[in-house]
Amino acid sequence: MVNGLPKLDRIDLRILAHLQKNGRMTNVDLAEAVGLSASPCLMRVKRLEKAGYITGYGAHVHLQKLGDTMTIFTEVTLSDHRSHDFQRFEARIRAVDEVMECHLVSGGYDYLLKFVTRSIQHYQDTIEVLLAQNIGIEKYFSYVVIKTVFTKQHYPLERFFAPQE
């Protein structure tokens, strides 16, 4: 046990690696891919779910097939830096549907946000609503994505967390 969680071995990591690439694969296919029989594989998956290593399953939507969208990264600096200022900002920004990611960062600004909107005007309208809410934004800088070269949907778990033997 590490931090109250079951310790993962190389097979657990393999299971996670395969499921994050294809969460719809059958247990039989997963078991074969990781070198287990079906029953022990299913028991491991259930244990990983129960321990919170697997937080859900979902579909990856090809957004461009639905229509044009804009991706904008935004640096946000807060006017004050007390604990409740960060909490207030984070609580409000979490409720903005267009914000896909929010990262508290070190460096010259406080947060890096990833917006996905229908257009530049949609983004500007969203920012203006945020500014009007008085959630502590002192300044922001926007970076419009011209082209997304690639987006990975999975982490190299076996490289990151290979058990020390």
Side-chain angles (χ1 to χ4, degrees), residues 8-21 33-34 154-165:
L8 301 184
D9 62 17
R10 63 181 176 74
I11 294 175
D12 292 323
L13 288 173
R14 261 201 210 131
I15 288 170
L16 293 172
H18 281 280
L19 286 177
Q20 71 175 346
K21 290 179 185 173
V34 301
H154 59 277
Y155 303 101
L157 299 177
E158 294 175 277
R159 292 181 64 116
F160 286 173
F161 304 108
Q164 304 299 319
E165 296 180 25

Side-chain angles (χ1 to χ4, degrees), residues 73-76 101-105 109-114:
F73 287 94
T74 305
E75 299 172 353
V76 173
E101 297 178 18
C102 174
H103 305 274
L104 177 63
V105 297
Y109 53 94
D110 298 315
Y111 289 94
L112 179 63
L113 307 177
K114 178 183 177 183

